[in-house]
Amino acid sequence: MDKYSFLNAVHTSFFAELYDKYLVSPDSVEPSWRAFFQGFDFGMESSIDELDIAPSSGAIIDANGQKIEVPESLQKEFQIIGLIDGYRTRGHLFTETNPVRERRKYTPSLDIENFGLSENDLDTVFSAGEIIGIGPSSLREIIKNLKSIYCDAIGVEYMYIRNPERVKWIQNWLNVNDNRPKLDADGKKHILKKLNQAVSFENFLHTKYVGQKRFSLEGNESLIPGLDAIVERAAEMGVEQFVMGMAHRGRLNVLTNIFGKSAKDIFSEFDGKDYEEEIFDGDVKYHLGWTSDRMSDNGNKIKMNIAPNPSHLETVGAVVEGIARAKQDAHYKDNFSKVLPIVVHGDAAIAGQGLVYEVVQMATLDGYKTGGTIHVVVNNQIGFTTNYLDARSSTYCTDVGKVTLSPVLHVNADDPEAVVHSFLFALEFRMRFSRDVFIDLLGYRKYGHNEGDEPRFTQPKLYKAIAKHKNPRDIYAAKLIAEGVIGADYVKELENQYKASLEEELVDSRKEDKTVITPFMADEWSGFENVREWEMMKPIDTTFNAKDLSEIAKVITELPSDKKFLRKVEKLIRDRKKMFFESNKLDWAMGELLAYGSLLKEGYDVRMSGQDVERGTFSHRHAVMKVEESEEEVLLLNAISGDQGKFQIYNSLLSEYGVVGFDYGYAMASPNTLTIWEAQFGDFSNGAQIMLDQYISAAEDKWKLQNGLVMLLPHGYEGQGAEHSSARMERYLQLCARDNMYIADVSTPAQMFHIMRRQMKANFRKPLIIFTPKSLLRHPKAVSSVEEFAEGGFKEVIDDATVSVAKVKSVVFCTGKFYYDLLAVKEEDNREDVALVRVEQLFPLPADQMKAIISKYKNADDFVWAQEEPRNMGAWSHMMMHFSDAHKLRVASRRFYAAPAAGSAVRSKMRHQQVIDYVFDKTKDNLTRQKK
């Protein structure tokens, strides 16, 4: 037809390149060509599928139902491009990436017949070969090239990426040398050397420590040359710090052969010696972290960090991201690429644990991005004893990576050259695009989940194959011998030399009778001390000059005059100004913001994140204000003069586990930053319970790690139902022991000010959990004067200053918001015989101060512990464990309940009132009288 006559005039290579571009990114093609290709695709599908017109006829039907006569040569070119696109899109399904199992069969296959081609076309030369970098070539050569690139030892998934620049870069990278590395003899010998270290290390431990758990790397030893290649190349590209997280599998091998941890130290841990310092309990050897300086082969110094990791395998991923971001913020604000996070996953864990999704979703968010993470899956195809077909519904364990359109490489762990090539691809992609990339290292697990397990119970067929399978070192050595790169005795010499060095280390380790726990990131923690519980109770000077406080207040109560804000925001700021400079009654938000401002003025940084933290869940904070028309963000705290620290606050994704893990990692790497996570409601921290159990409460005992993370958990019974009342303080208090953290339920803005300042002014760091208010944020009595901020300090206990000691008959201990509920009744009934005492710090419990108060009220014969929570919740059980005079206390609380609060507001109010009644009249025992 006339309107398509140009098809005969244009060179086929032009069509090939343009059509290839259209397949990758239709919108990047000029509209008229895009319309033609859309019609061509439609016509081809209609001709073949519906109209039964053979492609070789040269006739297709366009989108308007008109027949188009397309020259057969051009039509064939289009079919070749379709074949190329098929390999790019689905080639990963037909790779040779599994060293010990047959791959599942997928249909349709990549047979040429499925693309309208036949054997008669194999020797025809097609211009489409230019697309894959080999120039005009026969179909036979094109297929050979495509199989080498996409269906050999490396499978690549990337065609779902919507960014044409990234797709084109990937394709160009893969096309070089048929997606194989160009290695000289020395490069191949270096890979063999690292493989030998990996294999020999495991063999040595297996011989010397028979039956002991070590979670060996055997079956995936090529991880070691892969990681080594990343470290060496990254150092050349300017990376200065590595932050790595991994679970148990292969961890000891990585520590020794990548991070340079002395084998002597690992042997000491295997020998089960006691620890040098009594204050620490330590942990099993394959959980410990490590920090070291490594010198690359080219003389570049690299700081190496591998974070400690508990048995909750993927937990460390979030922590690693936080550590990396803290280092980037502190040292490389303008170039995040200088710090490289690497997370090594297990195949079952990355597919099965939801935290991975949370961390992946952080990857490009302003508050959590780290410039791209390299994710490596040590895929041994079994989770504990579970076959992979029972461990996931997705095709691959790495399919979570597609959430952020990250490229995924599947590589045969028995081919170390392909492994190194894949790792270098991942590095270069990350460095160029600042995006995540995933490597699925397909190997196997030589033994059971640990070396004492019998894997044949559950995988008899697989382990029969594994028993006959050579290790990757021996497979690679045979290849290099065949190539003439090494001689027959080369590997034995390497092995003997390495084992001799291990023997020396073993002898040296057995000369020592104690194990030393090496601090993680000791350079970041220089000058900080480890302290015991009694030292945590020492007063710390948190006063702040009133004049400087006034200057801060002025800055945070004046909006830029050239910008227009919502009227409510303008009123809020005016009210704050009146609070400070006129009424001298500062509310909770002012207390909190002044705490941050005072620390910023002293040079500390402040970071806060969580759901809705910028304005606050209850609209009290308003640390970030939006210009009405443009939504430009204004942070007044960053306008404070002086030795100004930086204030950062980020609304988080709807995640608790991932974000708490990130912020904990951030605090771990930045002890001079006040790092805060706030829950939307206190009990939402349930979702982060693993972080609390494994890191926040136990890391100092296990790993010699201090951490100053602050968790703000809104708590208080105001009739909002079971999920929005209790922060479950009993859970945190149950985790308290010796000197592991601070727990507080403060009742005034000044107390909040001083406890926040104490967190940074101390020469040690402990996690701080504060049960923060909701209704108290605007309570007329929950206010403090400027003098209370500027002077004094944090009070662990606040006695009742309004009573005459001699008149007091009943002493009531309580915490937080419940104090104000009791105060309202006391004042209304004019109960001068009742003293209300606030226990502001629940751990370490100020027991001596509480005993002194009991002794002070000599005429009192009634001592009460009052709480709004049910008897089996709240702080009462904690009091029984930690307060030796708890037997003297009468308990006023709700009855025992499974849910923290009633869903009915009427019922909740009734129960609340019954507790209050019993506080003031011990004859009204709600535990027996309360029916609902």
Side-chain angles (χ1 to χ4, degrees):
M1 297 181 64
D2 289 343
K3 72 175 183 175
Y4 295 115
S5 61
F6 67 90
L7 296 174
N8 294 302
V10 182
H11 196 278
T12 55
S13 63
F14 172 77
F15 284 110
E17 289 179 18
L18 200 59
Y19 186 53
D20 180 58
K21 188 177 180 182
Y22 162 78
L23 289 174
V24 171
S25 177
D27 291 340
S28 67
V29 176
E30 194 272 329
S32 61
W33 278 109
R34 183 166 66 245
F36 169 72
F37 289 137
Q38 287 170 343
F40 177 81
D41 285 347
F42 174 81
M44 285 292 291
E45 290 169 10
S46 300
S47 298
I48 296 169
D49 298 335
E50 298 172 24
L51 304 180
D52 198 28
I53 298 176
S56 59
S57 71
I60 64 169
I61 306 301
D62 73 6
N64 297 314
Q66 295 177 288
K67 181 182 281 191
I68 309 170
E69 293 294 336
V70 179
E72 185 175 355
S73 61
L74 181 57
Q75 187 174 325
K76 289 285 186 184
E77 292 285 356
F78 284 142
Q79 289 163 344
I80 299 297
I81 296 166
L83 176 68
I84 293 170
D85 190 58
Y87 272 88
R88 288 169 171 172
T89 306
R90 303 182 69 247
H92 59 88
L93 297 172
F94 306 97
T95 55
E96 298 176 8
T97 50
N98 199 319
V100 289
R101 296 195 207 233
E102 285 291 320
R103 285 212 61 165
R104 285 182 280 180
K105 303 300 181 186
Y106 296 93
T107 55
S109 69
L110 295 174
D111 293 345
I112 58 175
E113 289 77 12
N114 291 321
F115 297 89
L117 300 164
S118 70
E119 289 191 7
N120 294 331
D121 300 310
L122 287 174
D123 294 313
T124 304
V125 173
F126 294 99
S127 297
E130 294 183 6
I131 295 170
I132 54 176
I134 60 174
S137 302
S138 69
L139 176 56
R140 194 184 304 276
E141 285 298 314
I142 290 171
I143 293 171
K144 178 183 176 184
N145 184 266
L146 288 172
K147 285 185 175 179
S148 178
I149 294 172
Y150 294 104
C151 299
D152 193 8
I154 302 172
V156 190
E157 296 183 90
Y158 70 95
M159 286 296 283
Y160 44 78
I161 296 174
R162 298 177 193 136
N163 182 295
E165 181 192 359
R166 284 181 222 144
V167 171
K168 195 64 181 174
W169 183 91
I170 292 169
Q171 288 173 347
N172 290 340
W173 203 96
L174 297 175
N175 289 343
V176 174
N177 201 38
D178 289 356
N179 197 21
R180 300 293 300 182
K182 289 182 179 178
L183 296 167
D184 59 17
D186 288 342
K188 294 180 178 184
K189 287 179 181 178
H190 184 77
I191 290 175
L192 182 61
K193 174 186 171 185
K194 298 307 292 185
L195 263 182
N196 176 69
Q197 289 174 357
V199 171
S200 298
F201 180 79
E202 299 293 357
N203 288 342
F204 190 86
L205 292 180
H206 193 64
T207 303
K208 300 297 181 181
Y209 298 99
V210 179
Q212 281 209 43
K213 291 182 183 180
R214 69 179 193 277
F215 298 98
S216 81
L217 189 58
E218 286 161 285
N220 270 289
E221 292 97 331
S222 53
L223 174 70
I224 298 301
L227 289 175
D228 179 73
I230 281 184
V231 172
E232 291 293 329
R233 181 70 61 84
E236 293 176 16
M237 299 174 78
V239 173
E240 295 181 10
Q241 295 211 41
F242 289 84
V243 183
M244 185 169 164
M246 68 181 299
H248 321 329
R249 180 78 45 206
R251 188 184 188 89
L252 300 179
N253 211 314
V254 169
L255 279 167
T256 300
N257 292 314
I258 299 297
F259 282 77
K261 182 174 181 177
S262 166
K264 181 183 78 170
D265 292 340
I266 291 176
F267 298 149
S268 288
E269 292 156 8
F270 268 102
D271 286 332
K273 300 169 186 175
D274 198 2
Y275 299 105
E276 182 183 51
E277 297 176 65
E278 190 175 323
I279 192 171
F280 301 108
D281 285 338
D283 199 359
V284 290
K285 49 200 164 286
Y286 36 78
H287 286 180
L288 301 177
W290 185 260
T291 296
S292 61
D293 290 324
R294 170 171 165 169
M295 195 66 70
S296 76
D297 291 346
N298 288 333
N300 298 299
K301 183 180 177 183
I302 317 155
K303 178 72 69 177
M304 307 282 290
N305 304 279
I306 183 167
N309 190 29
S311 289
H312 290 269
L313 308 178
E314 293 296 338
T315 306
V316 78
V319 176
V320 162
E321 302 297 343
I323 293 171
R325 178 58 181 266
K327 288 178 174 291
Q328 289 164 338
D329 283 347
H331 307 298
Y332 312 101
K333 290 178 183 176
D334 300 323
N335 190 354
F336 276 19
S337 70
K338 295 284 187 181
V339 180
L340 175 60
I342 303 173
V343 181
V344 180
H345 309 265
D347 53 308
I350 192 174
Q353 295 189 18
L355 176 63
V356 179
Y357 182 86
E358 296 181 35
V359 172
V360 164
Q361 282 286 20
M362 294 179 182
T364 61
L365 304 181
D366 282 347
Y368 308 94
K369 62 186 178 185
T370 55
T373 298
I374 296 176
H375 298 267
V376 181
V377 180
V378 176
N379 190 341
N380 47 212
Q381 307 187 59
I382 299 171
F384 202 78
T385 65
T386 304
N387 277 311
Y388 73 96
L389 290 173
D390 297 317
R392 63 178 184 267
S393 297
S394 59
T395 301
Y396 296 113
C397 62
T398 50
D399 282 349
V400 68
K402 298 174 188 174
V403 169
T404 48
L405 306 180
S406 302
V408 180
L409 283 77
H410 308 277
V411 56
N412 191 322
D414 271 0
D415 188 335
E417 291 186 10
V419 171
V420 167
H421 194 60
S422 299
F423 277 56
L424 293 179
F425 167 92
L427 173 65
E428 292 190 23
F429 182 87
R430 184 267 180 181
M431 297 297 284
R432 183 178 181 90
F433 297 109
S434 300
R435 307 282 297 199
D436 285 8
V437 57
F438 289 73
I439 299 171
D440 178 16
L441 185 64
L442 267 137
Y444 54 91
R445 192 176 70 195
K446 185 175 179 180
Y447 302 105
H449 177 68
N450 63 65
E451 286 65 33
D453 274 351
E454 174 51 82
R456 288 175 294 181
F457 287 149
T458 47
Q459 286 87 19
K461 186 178 177 182
L462 173 63
Y463 274 90
K464 188 174 182 180
I466 289 173
K468 300 173 183 176
H469 198 77
K470 288 185 177 180
N471 67 58
R473 180 199 63 189
D474 292 346
I475 293 171
Y476 189 51
K479 178 177 181 289
L480 296 190
I481 290 169
E483 291 177 2
V485 175
I486 61 171
D489 297 329
Y490 187 84
V491 172
K492 183 53 70 177
E493 291 171 11
L494 277 181
E495 187 175 24
N496 290 340
Q497 289 171 8
Y498 186 69
K499 285 190 173 179
S501 69
L502 293 179
E503 287 285 1
E504 286 182 27
E505 299 261 22
L506 181 62
V507 170
D508 288 344
S509 76
R510 289 179 173 169
K511 294 175 183 176
E512 299 173 0
D513 58 0
K514 297 284 185 183
T515 294
V516 178
I517 299 177
T518 305
F520 179 58
M521 292 194 300
D523 53 335
E524 304 283 3
W525 288 86
S526 177
F528 290 89
E529 298 179 3
N530 294 106
V531 299
R532 306 303 293 266
E533 185 177 342
W534 63 271
E535 295 170 286
M536 293 169 66
M537 297 296 288
K538 287 182 177 179
I540 292 170
D541 183 5
T542 55
T543 58
F544 192 79
N545 182 276
K547 181 174 177 293
D548 290 336
L549 201 64
S550 179
E551 290 178 5
I552 295 168
K554 189 173 186 297
V555 171
I556 65 174
T557 59
E558 290 184 359
L559 291 167
S561 59
D562 59 338
K563 302 180 192 300
K564 189 175 185 300
F565 297 86
L566 292 171
R567 288 182 181 177
K568 287 185 177 181
V569 170
E570 292 174 345
K571 181 181 184 302
L572 173 83
I573 297 300
R574 285 197 303 271
D575 290 347
R576 286 180 178 176
K577 193 163 195 171
K578 288 178 183 177
M579 279 181 209
F580 193 95
F581 294 104
E582 296 179 24
S583 68
N584 197 21
K585 291 182 178 179
L586 280 64
D587 68 3
W588 203 274
M590 276 297 281
E592 188 184 330
L593 295 174
L594 287 171
Y596 305 151
S598 68
L599 290 168
L600 291 167
K601 193 168 181 66
E602 292 173 331
Y604 297 101
D605 290 333
V606 177
R607 174 192 164 92
M608 173 181 277
S609 86
Q611 294 148 24
D612 306 311
V613 295
E614 293 181 5
R615 65 151 226 188
T617 295
F618 311 104
S619 198
H620 83 287
R621 181 174 296 117
H622 292 282
V624 176
M625 281 155 289
K626 301 284 183 76
V627 177
E628 186 172 1
E629 297 300 327
S630 65
E631 294 196 358
E632 175 192 347
E633 295 186 345
V634 174
L635 282 76
L636 297 176
L637 281 166
N638 277 331
I640 298 169
S641 62
D643 187 14
Q644 171 75 50
K646 184 177 182 183
F647 179 71
Q648 301 178 79
I649 185 165
Y650 301 102
N651 285 341
S652 74
L653 64 163
L654 194 63
S655 152
E656 290 82 35
Y657 190 0
V659 175
V660 170
F662 185 101
D663 286 335
Y664 180 87
Y666 197 101
M668 188 192 298
S670 189
N672 284 313
T673 298
L674 178 65
T675 306
I676 305 164
W677 176 76
E678 181 176 60
Q680 195 172 64
F681 286 89
D683 62 326
F684 287 11
S685 63
N686 290 353
Q689 196 67 42
I690 290 171
M691 279 307 309
L692 290 154
D693 293 344
Q694 305 299 326
Y695 278 94
I696 291 169
S697 67
E700 188 168 354
D701 263 9
K702 292 193 295 187
W703 305 317
K704 210 173 183 176
L705 288 182
Q706 294 191 61
N707 195 291
L709 177 67
V710 178
M711 297 178 66
L712 304 182
L713 308 181
H715 175 87
Y717 282 59
E718 286 118 347
Q720 295 189 58
E723 271 71 58
H724 291 163
S725 295
S726 175
R728 294 287 198 170
M729 63 168 64
E730 63 278 357
R731 294 183 174 176
Y732 301 91
L733 294 170
Q734 189 179 29
L735 293 171
C736 291
R738 300 197 306 184
D739 47 31
N740 64 335
M741 54 184 166
Y742 285 113
I743 308 283
D745 188 7
V746 298
S747 61
T748 73
Q751 283 284 86
M752 186 69 171
F753 175 87
H754 288 293
I755 199 170
M756 287 292 206
R757 285 183 53 74
R758 181 182 75 174
Q759 191 69 359
M760 300 309 291
K761 302 298 284 185
N763 66 343
F764 58 88
R765 294 287 179 264
K766 303 284 181 180
L768 168 63
I769 294 163
I770 306 178
F771 300 104
T772 54
K774 294 174 285 183
S775 61
L776 290 196
L777 297 174
R778 295 172 182 82
H779 196 289
K781 286 187 176 293
V783 293
S784 301
S785 67
V786 173
E787 291 71 29
E788 288 176 287
F789 287 89
E791 302 163 8
F794 178 71
K795 300 173 183 175
E796 292 86 2
V797 180
I798 301 177
D799 198 357
D800 195 332
T802 67
V803 297
S804 169
V805 174
K807 292 181 180 179
V808 171
K809 296 294 185 182
S810 181
V811 178
V812 180
F813 291 96
C814 59
T815 67
K817 168 252 178 188
F818 198 40
Y819 162 77
Y820 292 94
D821 296 339
L822 298 175
L823 179 63
V825 174
K826 179 189 171 184
E827 290 180 342
E828 184 179 341
D829 294 347
N830 196 26
R831 291 292 298 269
E832 295 181 353
D833 62 328
V834 176
L836 299 179
V837 181
R838 286 169 274 177
V839 181
E840 301 278 291
Q841 180 171 290
L842 292 165
F843 192 83
L845 187 70
D848 290 342
Q849 295 180 49
M850 293 171 66
K851 289 178 182 179
I853 287 171
I854 289 174
S855 299
K856 169 185 169 183
Y857 292 101
K858 299 189 183 300
N859 294 331
D861 58 6
D862 182 33
F863 298 94
V864 184
W865 174 260
Q867 65 178 42
E868 54 186 342
E869 302 84 10
R871 183 70 58 91
N872 56 311
M873 301 177 195
W876 172 237
S877 58
H878 175 70
M879 287 295 160
M880 288 193 290
M881 285 192 290
H882 293 272
F883 187 44
S884 60
D885 282 358
H887 64 281
K888 298 179 181 179
L889 302 178
R890 171 171 64 89
V891 187
S893 73
R894 280 169 163 79
R895 301 173 71 187
F896 292 84
Y897 288 106
S904 161
V906 172
R907 182 173 293 186
S908 181
K909 186 176 180 180
M910 178 189 69
R911 291 176 180 176
H912 198 68
Q913 188 59 48
Q914 287 173 336
V915 177
I916 294 172
D917 291 345
Y918 184 48
V919 169
F920 291 96
D921 184 350
K922 59 185 175 184
T923 65
K924 296 181 178 181
D925 184 355
N926 66 303
L927 204 63
T928 55
R929 292 164 59 95
Q930 190 172 320
K931 300 300 181 185
K932 289 187 177 180

